[in-house]
Amino acid sequence: MTATPPRWTVEQFTVAADTSTARFRELRMQEPLEQYLHSYEDHRHAVEVLLERTVDLAALHLRAPEVLLEPELLTAVRFLASPFISADDLKTVAQTTLSASALRADDWAGARRVVDAVLLGLDRHRFPWVGEDRPPTDAEREAAVVATASLAATQSVQTARRTSSKDDQEQRVADYLVSRGFAQVPPRAMASVTDLPAPGEFCREALFGSRKADLVVRTRDGRAMPIECKVSNSSINSVKRLNNDAAVKAVVWLQEFGHLVALPAALLSGVFKVANLTAAQDQGLTLFWEHDLDALGAFLDAAVP
């Protein structure tokens, strides 16, 4: 008899979700402050250098060709605005890329547009002296440096956290699969069953049908389990990551490969609402938890010829 993927009751989802949320809280409380402090010092130095080279921003246009070519100073320039301007938004608003060649083009016209875009959104509370056309006081300069470095460091840490959480989760799943005797193979596009890894193999970051999966596992009985790794920091965020992404992919994969071949799954960590978990499961998505990888292992052990 073919092994059936686990389906969880509301009570089981409730216990698992509570455990996952508790682990999320513990992780967030234990995250070292050093990561932020190190980032803050780096950004503080960049802001100080930027103010020094531009005479407290009075010569920002004049110094644009110099400061915009240094990545750290370019980041500091983006955080002069409030809210800060992302690199992608700045490219759009300034109608240029941020490459050295683009900034140099047409006698630095692109660089001037970058500065114009930033100054248009300049935070007047942090840099009051610019609009008043005067030098800053020592206290104003220090307050501006501290506030700007703090904003940049916070954003940097948050971005790194989102990226590393997902990457770490994928790596843990990959390591676990290897520990269960599965072999990792290079990724490939899988348009049909003939493109799948061999039974007992898996690959990462692969196109499964028309949608990319974080991992694709070929069970030993020949079925394919595309796995999406999802880390959520709130129940609202979980709707986007689980229901609007992973569950939608599950429906597509089942249509493309059929229920006899495809076993869409998601590996979860963080905060999820029970109602959203139930809805995703009802759409054909098998759910596992990062804190209980042995449930995944038990199914894979049972899925044999």
Side-chain angles (χ1 to χ4, degrees), residues 275-288:
N276 296 334
L277 297 169
T278 301
Q281 181 173 256
D282 288 343
Q283 287 183 272
L285 192 64
T286 299
L287 301 179
F288 298 101

Side-chain angles (χ1 to χ4, degrees), residues 106-258:
D106 298 326
D107 194 23
W108 297 96
R112 291 195 295 273
R113 289 197 300 272
V114 167
V115 171
D116 287 339
V118 170
L119 289 179
L120 188 64
L122 184 72
D123 190 330
R124 266 53 175 187
H125 294 289
R126 279 185 285 146
F127 309 99
W129 67 86
V130 176
E132 297 170 10
D133 195 23
R134 60 173 175 82
T137 66
D138 290 343
E140 286 175 332
R141 184 186 295 107
E142 175 65 13
V145 168
V146 170
T148 305
S150 179
L151 287 170
T154 299
Q155 180 66 23
S156 176
V157 170
Q158 289 176 340
T159 300
R161 176 189 294 167
R162 287 193 296 269
T163 302
S164 64
S165 294
K166 185 176 185 300
D167 290 345
D168 290 348
Q169 189 182 58
E170 288 184 26
Q171 188 60 54
R172 277 190 284 273
V173 178
D175 291 343
Y176 182 79
L177 291 170
V178 171
S179 75
R180 307 294 295 208
F182 283 76
Q184 183 172 345
V185 296
R188 78 285 302 272
M190 303 171 215
S192 67
V193 175
T194 58
D195 301 319
L196 296 174
E201 295 180 343
F202 74 95
C203 59
R204 296 177 60 174
E205 300 292 341
L207 190 64
F208 186 72
S210 60
R211 304 293 180 94
K212 185 181 74 68
D214 293 327
L215 302 99
V216 177
V217 182
R218 186 83 181 272
T219 59
R220 293 185 175 91
D221 62 7
R223 291 176 289 173
M225 176 177 280
I227 301 177
E228 286 287 282
C229 293
K230 297 299 177 185
V231 181
S232 170
N233 59 10
S234 72
S235 57
I236 295 176
N237 182 259
S238 72
V239 175
K240 173 185 175 182
R241 299 189 181 283
L242 178 62
N243 303 88
N244 296 343
D245 185 5
V248 171
K249 286 185 177 182
V251 172
V252 173
W253 286 330
L254 289 170
Q255 291 173 344
E256 292 178 338
F257 285 88

Side-chain angles (χ1 to χ4, degrees), residues 14-182:
T14 300
V15 171
D18 287 346
T19 300
S20 185
T21 299
R23 287 169 59 90
F24 174 82
R25 292 192 186 114
E26 182 180 3
L27 176 63
R28 285 295 181 264
M29 292 301 294
Q30 291 179 350
E31 283 184 338
L33 182 61
E34 285 74 15
Q35 185 180 8
Y36 167 80
L37 294 177
H38 179 75
S39 180
Y40 171 83
E41 291 300 330
D42 288 343
H43 287 292
R44 180 187 175 99
H45 176 70
V47 176
E48 289 175 335
V49 171
L50 176 65
L51 293 182
E52 180 181 355
R53 292 193 188 176
T54 63
V55 195
D56 297 312
L57 303 183
L60 185 56
H61 272 104
L62 181 64
R63 296 293 185 182
E66 174 186 344
V67 299
L68 295 183
L69 294 182
E70 296 187 35
E72 296 81 4
L73 299 187
L74 174 58
T75 297
V77 168
R78 292 195 293 105
F79 277 87
L80 298 178
S82 187
F84 77 91
I85 305 177
S86 70
D88 286 339
D89 285 352
L90 188 55
K91 295 174 189 176
T92 301
V93 173
Q95 298 179 304
T96 182
T97 68
L98 300 178
S99 67
S101 59
L103 293 173
R104 289 192 181 103
D106 298 326
D107 194 23
W108 297 96
R112 291 195 295 273
R113 289 197 300 272
V114 167
V115 171
D116 287 339
V118 170
L119 289 179
L120 188 64
L122 184 72
D123 190 330
R124 266 53 175 187
H125 294 289
R126 279 185 285 146
F127 309 99
W129 67 86
V130 176
E132 297 170 10
D133 195 23
R134 60 173 175 82
T137 66
D138 290 343
E140 286 175 332
R141 184 186 295 107
E142 175 65 13
V145 168
V146 170
T148 305
S150 179
L151 287 170
T154 299
Q155 180 66 23
S156 176
V157 170
Q158 289 176 340
T159 300
R161 176 189 294 167
R162 287 193 296 269
T163 302
S164 64
S165 294
K166 185 176 185 300
D167 290 345
D168 290 348
Q169 189 182 58
E170 288 184 26
Q171 188 60 54
R172 277 190 284 273
V173 178
D175 291 343
Y176 182 79
L177 291 170
V178 171
S179 75
R180 307 294 295 208
F182 283 76

